[in-house]
Amino acid sequence: MNIDPPCYVFTYSVDGPLTQINARFLKQLEYDCSEVVGEMRMEDILTGGSKIFYKTHFLPMLMMQERVDEMFLTFKSKSGNEFPVLMNLELIKEKEEQHIQAVGLHIAKRNKFEKGIIEAKATAEKALKENEILSEMRSRLERNQENLERQLRDLKRINFEHLEFSKVLSHDLQEPLRKMILFAGLLEDKSEKDGLDPKLKFYLHKLSGLSEDARVLLIKLQRFHSLENRMKQGSKGNLEDIFESALERINNSEIKPDLSQLKVKKVYGDIYLLTRVFRELLKNSYQFRSQERSLSIHISSSLITENYYWAVEDAYRYTDFVQIRFEDNGRGFPPNSKDHVFGLLQKFHTDSGAGLGLAYCKKIIELHHGRIFMKPSSVGGTLFTILLPIYETKFAE
């Protein structure tokens, strides 16, 4: 006999949407099952304060201890009503999958009583601490101004060094390499005419080839270094059109990505450079495809809410992002390479190129104030996740 228990019961994947939810909790949330299961994450049904607490305390503790009992979280319904819940969560591991089993009890009266006590205490202490708070805020402002001054000085110094480095790449190193290639070519021609030692001819040919490789690498490094200056004014784009343009540039009929799960299609940014990102990912999927199975590429997009601040500790402002998931079933990356795949000149396969492609992708996405992550795919390949802000922004900010 199926009996709905007098509590809230639901499950969800660690970094994904809810997978199960009981009728009692659905009724309290004022949603239909189809609006929640497979569509919403744990953070989407929490209030702002509880979302921060869950991300910074609750979830890390759960991942370490695999179980957390009797912690308060406040949920919000579809109409905006808030209700406190005493939560028990347990991390369930089944084979390579991980999900979280959650059980909660509604405790509105206790929460309201505790909130009243806290507010009364805060009101009583406010007058006593007012001067201390003002003094602390003044000191903090002075410290922040000093930090800002140091950061601006460092930024000017780094910008100057970048300009000097760009000059070295564009001229000081290019010119000697061009001359080496020229002289090696002249010597090769002379060896052909004069019938010199074949070994000498081989070495000259090798020297010419290595010099040309170094020259091309310097050009690519210069382009990577000057990406900021190549960012154009942002515009609106359609993900389907962007992927179609990327496929046209690749011109390979064997690459046929599945775009049926693009729930959000509008993006904003430098469309040319964003197209370059997806062209690079598509080329990588094909280049490093598995010989044991046909290449499969699945691309999906959705709207999620995440903390905008990821470089500043203890700063929170939740905003909407377009999440793009790019998953293939290729050869993937070696174990423990997750933290290095976006580095300059990183090569993980014998047939890798210059090792700049994913570094380009990361820099372009970050210039759009977004983020890109990589992890092994459940189908044996690689899953790239890209977050792009949905609002129009000036890249120079």
Side-chain angles (χ1 to χ4, degrees):
M1 182 170 58
N2 186 15
I3 300 177
D4 189 23
C7 59
Y8 305 146
V9 181
F10 56 99
T11 60
Y12 58 98
S13 58
V14 174
D15 58 350
L18 278 71
T19 54
Q20 292 182 347
I21 185 169
N22 71 337
R24 186 179 298 273
F25 196 29
L26 275 175
K27 182 179 180 180
Q28 185 68 40
L29 289 171
E30 304 173 0
Y31 285 104
D32 293 328
C33 186
S34 60
E35 295 177 292
V36 177
V37 174
E39 299 294 330
M40 301 180 72
R41 301 185 305 165
M42 176 67 163
E43 296 91 323
D44 296 333
I45 54 177
L46 292 172
T47 61
S50 285
K51 185 181 297 184
I52 294 172
F53 176 72
Y54 174 78
K55 297 276 282 188
T56 58
H57 296 81
F58 208 156
L59 185 58
M61 187 182 300
L62 177 62
M63 298 305 293
M64 287 189 298
Q65 300 179 0
E66 299 187 355
R67 182 181 180 88
V68 177
D69 295 325
E70 297 185 351
M71 280 202 175
F72 293 97
L73 291 174
T74 303
F75 291 80
K76 60 180 179 182
S77 68
K78 187 175 183 179
S79 63
N81 293 326
E82 299 179 3
F83 56 97
V85 178
L86 183 65
M87 295 297 306
N88 293 333
L89 271 70
E90 183 175 358
L91 181 65
I92 307 297
K93 298 180 180 179
E94 296 178 354
K95 297 181 180 179
E96 296 182 358
E97 299 292 329
Q98 291 184 337
H99 65 272
I100 297 171
Q101 176 70 54
V103 178
L105 291 173
H106 191 178
I107 47 170
K109 292 184 178 180
R110 176 175 176 178
N111 184 267
K112 183 177 181 181
F113 176 70
E114 291 177 347
K115 185 177 180 181
I117 293 176
I118 293 172
E119 290 177 350
K121 183 179 179 181
T123 302
E125 294 177 347
K126 183 178 179 180
L128 295 175
K129 292 186 176 181
E130 186 173 13
N131 289 336
E132 295 178 8
I133 293 173
L134 288 174
S135 178
E136 172 62 25
M137 291 299 294
R138 191 179 298 111
S139 298
R140 185 180 300 176
L141 179 60
E142 291 175 355
R143 292 195 298 270
N144 288 341
Q145 287 176 329
E146 291 175 1
N147 290 333
L148 181 59
E149 173 66 20
R150 286 195 293 269
Q151 291 170 1
L152 287 174
R153 290 176 184 174
D154 289 341
L155 184 59
K156 289 182 178 180
R157 173 182 56 79
I158 292 170
N159 284 339
F160 176 77
E161 291 175 354
H162 278 191
L163 289 173
E164 293 299 306
F165 182 68
S166 182
K167 291 177 183 177
V168 171
L169 287 178
S170 61
H171 183 268
D172 296 347
L173 289 177
Q174 291 283 355
E175 188 60 27
L177 283 172
R178 279 193 290 266
K179 290 180 178 178
M180 288 173 63
I181 295 169
L182 174 63
F183 292 140
L186 291 174
L187 289 172
E188 272 193 278
D189 291 340
K190 184 173 178 58
S191 69
E192 288 280 355
K193 294 176 182 178
D194 298 346
L196 297 180
D197 186 349
K199 285 187 177 181
L200 177 60
K201 180 181 176 182
F202 170 79
Y203 293 145
L204 287 172
H205 181 74
K206 198 74 173 176
L207 175 62
S208 179
L210 291 173
S211 300
E212 178 62 23
D213 291 343
R215 190 183 71 85
V216 171
L217 179 58
L218 280 177
I219 292 173
K220 290 182 177 180
L221 286 172
Q222 183 191 10
R223 290 174 180 171
F224 174 81
H225 186 263
S226 60
L227 267 176
E228 291 93 338
N229 301 325
R230 299 166 65 194
M231 292 283 286
K232 299 178 181 178
Q233 185 65 32
S235 60
K236 292 179 182 178
N238 184 286
L239 279 176
E240 287 183 336
D241 296 338
I242 290 173
F243 278 105
E244 182 178 344
S245 177
L247 288 167
E248 287 178 358
R249 294 292 297 273
I250 298 172
N251 193 23
N252 187 332
S253 60
E254 294 185 45
I255 305 177
K256 298 178 180 179
D258 177 8
L259 304 177
S260 62
Q261 296 302 312
L262 292 179
K263 297 181 180 179
V264 178
K265 298 181 180 180
K266 185 176 72 174
V267 293
Y268 186 87
D270 185 327
I271 303 305
Y272 172 80
L273 288 180
L274 288 177
T275 303
R276 184 171 181 176
V277 169
F278 297 119
R279 188 171 80 236
E280 185 65 36
L281 294 180
L282 289 167
K283 285 170 58 181
N284 276 2
S285 293
Y286 180 77
Q287 181 178 356
F288 304 117
R289 64 192 183 280
S290 172
Q291 301 300 320
E292 301 173 356
R293 51 186 177 268
S294 300
L295 176 63
S296 173
I297 303 174
H298 294 275
I299 303 169
S300 63
S301 65
S302 59
L303 190 66
I304 67 169
T305 302
E306 282 288 350
N307 184 16
Y308 177 78
Y309 299 108
W310 58 276
V312 181
E313 293 184 2
D314 300 323
Y316 301 95
R317 177 166 68 85
Y318 282 86
T319 187
D320 290 336
F321 288 84
V322 176
Q323 177 182 260
I324 304 167
R325 291 163 62 90
F326 185 105
E327 185 175 23
D328 65 32
N329 65 342
R331 284 183 272 167
F333 291 88
N336 303 321
S337 62
K338 180 179 179 181
D339 298 330
H340 308 289
V341 294
F342 297 106
L344 276 172
L345 307 181
Q346 296 292 319
K347 301 180 181 181
F348 300 97
H349 302 285
T350 56
D351 52 347
S352 293
L356 284 169
L358 290 179
Y360 267 97
C361 293
K362 182 175 187 291
K363 190 166 185 177
I364 290 170
I365 295 300
E366 290 183 352
L367 286 172
H368 284 80
H369 303 164
R371 283 175 278 174
I372 182 170
F373 314 93
M374 185 283 293
K375 70 175 184 178
S377 167
S378 59
V379 295
T382 305
L383 171 62
F384 289 97
T385 302
I386 297 173
L387 300 181
L388 290 172
I390 65 169
Y391 56 81
E392 300 181 6
T393 180
K394 294 180 180 179
F395 302 122
E397 287 182 348

